[in-house]
Amino acid sequence: MTGLPIKMLVTSAGRRAGLVESFRRSAERMGVKLELHACDLHPELSAACALADQHLTAPPCTHAEYIPALLDYARENDIVLVVPTIDTELQPLATRRADFAALGIYVHVSSSNVIDIVRDKKRTMDVLAHAGVPVPRTATLEDFRQCPDCWKWPLFVKPVAGSASRGVALICSPAELKHEYDEPMLVQEALQGDEYTINIFVDEGGVMRAAIPHLRISVRAGEVEKGRTVRRADLDAIARNLAAAMPGARGVLCFQLFDDPKLGPRVFEINARFGGGYPLADHAGGYFAENVLRTAIGMPLVACHDWQDGLTMLRYDSAIFL
């Protein structure tokens, strides 16, 4: 490896050790040096920060000083790439993306409009349905209460802006609904069958370069614990339609669906960021992280569609001692 290192910053790094390792492998394949920085609210308690070359303490991503703090750090440390990892920081970074670009820094985030869509699950369903992407029947809780007998039971109730399975509940009758919730909720038909995550990469021109589905064999705390890559033409077609329905999507996104035995595949969630199960796609040969690095430094993209079908990931708990 020759030359100066590429300096990147992973934000809200937390437990994303697998993502850190994916970027390190990407740099090795590219033959470039990588200096990886990471930030977190408590970096001394973050495994990903412990694995980084440098780390810093950042304000909460909802704080007014969050973006200025990242801008200052990126400027002072010659950062060329910023990679966010949690939903709540996407819109602040999308809104200020031009400020980072003015400093020569590429922020791996989709447009503000895309973030607005994916952060509102009801709007997500409406946009996808309009584009012909199969989705489950969905309504706001207020609309549902107007005619609960018009639905087949059981149903899912979930926060409109939730993530990581927070607040999701299966209800079997109207009596199980609370009279009031702390946030806007929606109701969705309950789907059965196998659950899949599909990781996709969209280039700067809005073209989807590859989609890599994996079966979610086992899930813990909303994140895949055991998974297996599956090559299916129908899921690839759904991914292409979904990407086309999201003009302004950039880089790596992932979405989830159930392959319902009666209804067929139904998409129910999109994350406009690296998902927790991305390392499986990376190990399978879908080098999305490498293409993010290449985009940041102006190198040609590599093909990422020739990935390994049937690769199984079995996660286990490990530890870092400081």
Side-chain angles (χ1 to χ4, degrees):
M1 297 184 184
T2 59
L4 296 174
I6 299 171
K7 298 183 179 182
M8 67 172 290
L9 171 64
V10 177
T11 61
S12 303
R15 301 173 66 248
R16 291 300 191 94
L19 184 61
V20 168
E21 293 167 353
S22 293
F23 275 103
R24 290 206 189 280
R25 286 193 302 272
S26 298
E28 289 176 4
R29 285 192 299 268
M30 295 167 64
V32 299
K33 296 178 182 178
L34 179 67
E35 184 177 299
L36 199 147
H37 299 234
C39 71
D40 200 78
L41 191 61
H42 300 290
E44 72 280 4
L45 300 177
S46 161
C49 285
L51 293 175
D53 300 303
Q54 302 285 340
H55 66 253
L56 72 146
T57 302
C61 63
T62 54
H63 196 281
E65 291 303 311
Y66 182 66
I67 298 300
L70 294 187
L71 278 165
D72 288 344
Y73 185 86
R75 182 190 304 109
E76 293 166 2
N77 290 274
D78 298 319
I79 300 295
V80 299
L81 169 63
V82 175
V83 176
T85 64
I86 62 173
D87 293 328
T88 46
E89 64 183 342
L90 297 180
Q91 192 56 271
L93 283 165
T95 301
R96 300 289 296 277
R97 194 170 189 259
D99 294 331
F100 286 89
L103 299 173
I105 303 164
Y106 177 75
V107 180
H108 175 251
V109 68
S110 293
S111 70
S112 290
N113 184 54
V114 168
I115 305 305
D116 280 342
I117 292 171
V118 302
R119 293 290 290 142
D120 182 328
K121 294 184 188 299
K122 178 60 170 65
R123 190 177 173 194
T124 298
M125 297 299 98
D126 292 343
V127 169
L128 295 184
H130 182 73
V133 177
V135 296
R137 184 184 179 189
T138 306
T140 63
L141 181 57
E142 291 75 17
D143 288 344
F144 168 80
R145 291 190 194 274
Q146 300 300 314
C147 187
D149 294 335
C150 300
W151 291 70
K152 292 182 180 180
W153 299 83
L155 300 167
F156 277 115
V157 60
K158 59 180 68 174
V160 170
S163 62
S165 300
R166 177 184 61 81
V168 177
L170 183 68
I171 57 173
C172 297
S173 71
E176 295 182 28
L177 280 172
K178 297 179 182 179
H179 292 294
E180 293 185 3
Y181 288 87
D182 295 333
E183 58 185 315
M185 305 292 284
L186 58 79
V187 173
Q188 205 165 62
E189 64 180 328
L191 300 172
Q192 306 296 321
D194 291 331
E195 185 179 0
Y196 292 83
T197 291
I198 294 89
N199 287 281
I200 66 174
F201 179 78
V202 181
D203 66 21
E204 289 294 289
V207 177
M208 193 194 83
R209 294 296 190 100
I212 305 180
H214 65 253
L215 174 66
R216 291 162 68 91
I217 299 170
S218 174
V219 177
R220 181 171 64 173
E223 191 168 291
V224 64
E225 183 180 42
K226 299 177 178 67
R228 180 178 299 118
T229 57
V230 179
R231 192 179 288 275
R232 283 178 47 174
D234 59 338
L235 301 188
D236 188 81
I238 289 172
R240 292 190 181 280
N241 289 340
L242 181 145
M246 296 283 168
R250 302 185 187 96
V252 182
L253 300 87
C254 64
F255 64 93
Q256 290 170 235
L257 61 78
F258 276 104
D259 190 7
D260 190 280
K262 294 181 179 179
L263 302 174
R266 291 291 186 271
V267 177
F268 65 91
E269 183 165 353
I270 306 175
N271 295 307
R273 53 171 171 76
F274 280 97
Y278 167 74
L280 174 54
D282 192 85
H283 276 274
Y287 300 140
F288 298 175
E290 179 176 340
N291 276 338
V292 171
L293 271 175
R294 286 173 172 270
T295 300
I297 62 176
M299 289 182 65
L301 301 182
V302 294
C304 46
H305 51 77
D306 188 22
W307 47 272
Q308 181 181 348
D309 186 16
L311 180 67
T312 300
M313 175 179 70
L314 305 174
R315 277 180 162 160
Y316 63 95
D317 290 329
S318 187
I320 293 174
F321 299 93
L322 304 176

